[in-house]
Amino acid sequence: MKNNEISIYFNNFSSQGILRINKDGTIFLLNKATFLSLKFLAKYGIENSAGINDTLDKVIYFLNSHGFPKIENSVIIKEFSSQIPLKRVQLEITKRCNLRCKHCYISEYKDVLESSTIYELIDEAASLGVMDFDLTGGEPLLYQNVEQIIEYILKYGMCTTIFTNAVVIPDNLKKILKKYQGVKFRVSLDGWNSESHDYIRGKGNFCRTLANIKELIGLKVPVEVNVILNSKNIIGVKKFRELSNELKIKFRYDRYLPFSRNDFLSVTDEEYIEALYNLPNFDSRARTIKENIVDDHKFYCGAGNSYVFVTASGEVGFCPTLSNTKFSGGNILSDSLAKIWNDSIFFNRIRKVRCRFYNECPVNFICQGGCRSRAEFFNGKITDPDIQECKLAYRISGIVPAALKGRL
């Protein structure tokens, strides 16, 4: 049994909690009585607690049925109090990188945070009830002693997703992966073979990355692949599907945004949407009925509402592509994360921001308001519509979105 099989978070402000099984991310909601029972069992053990009362017995039955007869050896409990819970922090731990990809939006590969600053940020994130503390870059696995930082995150009961090119997986990190649950990898692939991938990322990197993906799968570590569709690889979506099926892992697709260079890699809304039609269940948001256990108020993503992006220079931004000082609530080098999240003018203004057409749009259930970064990038304002999502919603449903009235 690994050290952090279960994480429990309880918000004393709302008297609500979450139990997460870290192996697969399954989440259960907790009321206060159930939380107190779990807390009791973690202290005194299941064997010594059976028959005390009905609530305890029900919790014991639940734990046994999910394969946790020794909760005292496998649970991490975190209590906090927050009116606006911050659930996820994504840290750009360094801008340094071992590749120079054609589509990268990083202009300089220099900034790097001191380890003392990173540990302080992890401490504060844990005190705020953060459930996920993710690492990105640059290439996060280049950071010196990164495995120690990852272990520090996991000891708090938080999970972490590592966004990496997976050209190199440090041996010391592999030891951590065998010891703990809760580490996931999101690996970047820009091609389905050496020719297509290495055109973007450099000669020999496809073989290195693919070999490391297979090794991670062999270690039973959750792996997903990020694909940035661009003008050179968009014709190969079916090939990506074949590779996904071969590896038996999920591929996620996004669109290249030409931030500062290499406009020739751009694709149109129509090209991107057409490519999505080659993916299974791409329109599931429009035609699937499913229970949403944790209500995030159905935003396109959690940016500004339950998630922040911290840059390698310490800025606490809206998301990776909206993280300059214009879209920052402050800097962790001068202010606490709690102060920035709860009190900054920026986050209090930007929180719950949506497309200005959202309330009147008949297909908002498909786009959930759309990406605020794309809206800002293509149209100039964070409240503008994400036209790509509008066109996709129209293609799926045949219903004209509010933002496209008179434009079709």
Side-chain angles (χ1 to χ4, degrees):
M1 183 170 287
K2 295 189 178 182
N3 297 13
N4 62 331
E5 298 273 1
I6 299 173
S7 293
I8 295 172
Y9 305 86
F10 193 80
N11 187 348
N12 286 308
F13 182 88
S14 62
S15 292
Q16 293 180 332
I18 286 174
L19 179 151
R20 178 169 64 186
I21 299 175
N22 290 325
K23 181 179 180 179
D24 59 12
T26 302
I27 284 176
F28 300 89
L29 298 184
L30 306 175
N31 58 29
K32 190 160 188 175
T34 307
F35 167 69
L36 291 175
S37 296
L38 286 162
K39 194 174 178 181
F40 182 91
L41 294 171
K43 183 175 182 179
Y44 296 105
I46 290 176
E47 293 179 356
N48 302 319
S49 305
I52 294 178
N53 61 50
D54 288 345
T55 302
L56 275 174
D57 285 345
K58 288 178 180 177
V59 174
I60 290 170
Y61 176 80
F62 166 85
L63 291 169
N64 282 325
S65 66
H66 285 83
F68 298 107
K70 296 284 187 181
I71 184 176
E72 63 271 25
N73 299 325
S74 59
V75 67
I76 298 174
I77 297 175
K78 192 66 189 178
E79 289 186 72
F80 63 100
S81 183
S82 178
Q83 185 175 1
I84 309 169
L86 178 60
K87 297 178 182 178
R88 183 181 296 270
V89 172
Q90 186 177 26
L91 173 63
E92 182 185 53
I93 193 170
T94 179
K95 284 187 181 292
R96 292 187 302 173
C97 191
N98 47 1
L99 304 181
R100 294 295 182 268
C101 305
K102 285 183 169 66
H103 66 329
C104 185
Y105 59 82
I106 294 176
S107 56
E108 294 185 2
Y109 300 87
K110 295 180 180 179
D111 289 346
V112 59
L113 284 169
E114 295 292 334
S115 59
S116 58
T117 302
I118 294 170
Y119 285 117
E120 289 172 7
L121 180 63
I122 296 169
D123 289 339
E124 190 170 11
S127 72
L128 291 172
V130 169
M131 297 174 62
D132 295 276
F133 196 104
D134 301 338
L135 300 179
T136 186
E139 173 47 54
L141 298 184
L142 291 182
Y143 195 92
Q144 187 175 12
N145 297 324
V146 67
E147 70 281 353
Q148 295 177 17
I149 292 170
I150 292 169
E151 185 172 28
Y152 196 73
I153 293 168
L154 298 172
K155 283 182 176 179
Y156 269 119
M158 294 184 283
C159 291
T160 184
T161 299
I162 301 169
F163 293 76
T164 176
N165 57 43
V167 170
V168 177
I169 307 293
D171 288 337
N172 286 338
L173 176 55
K174 295 173 188 176
K175 297 176 183 177
I176 299 297
L177 299 177
K178 295 175 182 177
K179 186 178 179 182
Y180 293 93
Q181 301 282 8
V183 181
K184 302 177 184 177
F185 282 78
R186 192 77 68 81
V187 179
S188 296
L189 272 182
D190 294 302
W192 55 92
N193 58 21
S194 293
E195 181 181 0
S196 54
H197 179 82
D198 293 355
Y199 172 79
I200 298 292
R201 294 184 173 263
K203 187 176 181 179
N205 287 311
F206 178 79
C207 291
R208 297 184 188 100
T209 296
L210 187 62
N212 282 324
I213 288 175
K214 290 179 178 179
E215 183 173 7
L216 290 169
I217 293 171
L219 292 171
K220 298 183 179 180
V221 177
V223 182
E224 293 183 353
V225 164
N226 266 0
V227 177
I228 302 298
L229 293 175
N230 58 64
S231 61
K232 298 297 183 181
N233 67 9
I234 199 166
I235 60 171
V237 170
K238 291 183 180 179
K239 296 290 187 181
F240 282 120
R241 279 186 59 187
E242 291 172 5
L243 183 57
S244 174
N245 292 335
E246 177 189 332
L247 295 171
K248 295 182 173 60
I249 59 175
K250 183 176 181 178
F251 278 40
R252 294 175 178 266
Y253 300 86
D254 207 344
R255 172 186 178 182
Y256 171 66
L257 297 180
F259 282 90
S260 59
R261 57 182 182 266
N262 292 339
D263 283 1
F264 70 91
L265 292 173
S266 299
V267 295
T268 66
D269 294 336
E270 288 72 20
E271 288 171 328
Y272 179 69
I273 292 169
E274 193 62 38
L276 293 185
Y277 262 76
N278 289 300
L279 301 175
N281 302 321
F282 81 95
D283 57 349
S284 60
R285 283 175 291 171
R287 57 179 179 80
T288 301
I289 299 174
K290 61 181 179 179
E291 180 182 3
N292 184 13
I293 297 176
V294 180
D295 182 17
D296 278 326
H297 306 291
K298 295 181 171 57
F299 281 84
Y300 182 83
C301 73
N305 296 302
S306 59
Y307 155 85
V308 294
F309 179 80
V310 183
T311 72
S313 57
E315 296 291 337
V316 181
F318 186 74
C319 71
T321 50
L322 290 179
S323 57
N324 57 31
T325 52
K326 178 182 176 183
F327 295 100
S328 169
N331 195 298
I332 59 170
L333 300 180
S334 55
D335 286 310
S336 70
L337 179 62
K339 182 178 179 182
I340 294 168
W341 176 246
N342 292 314
D343 302 332
S344 69
I345 294 172
F346 171 76
F347 278 111
N348 280 292
R349 177 177 61 83
I350 212 74
R351 198 163 280 135
K352 296 188 178 181
V353 66
R354 286 195 189 272
C355 167
R356 67 177 185 272
F357 292 101
Y358 181 83
N359 289 333
E360 64 186 270
C361 186
V363 286
N364 60 21
F365 65 96
I366 296 178
C367 71
Q368 298 175 345
C371 174
R372 297 300 85 219
S373 176
R374 268 197 307 266
E376 166 77 19
F377 180 81
F378 285 113
N379 299 306
K381 292 183 180 179
I382 200 169
T383 55
D384 280 340
D386 176 3
I387 297 299
Q388 170 189 298
E389 287 291 313
C390 294
K391 292 178 179 178
L392 179 58
Y394 177 66
R395 176 78 178 267
I396 291 170
S397 68
I399 301 171
V400 178
L404 295 184
K405 285 182 178 179
R407 298 176 61 172
L408 292 175

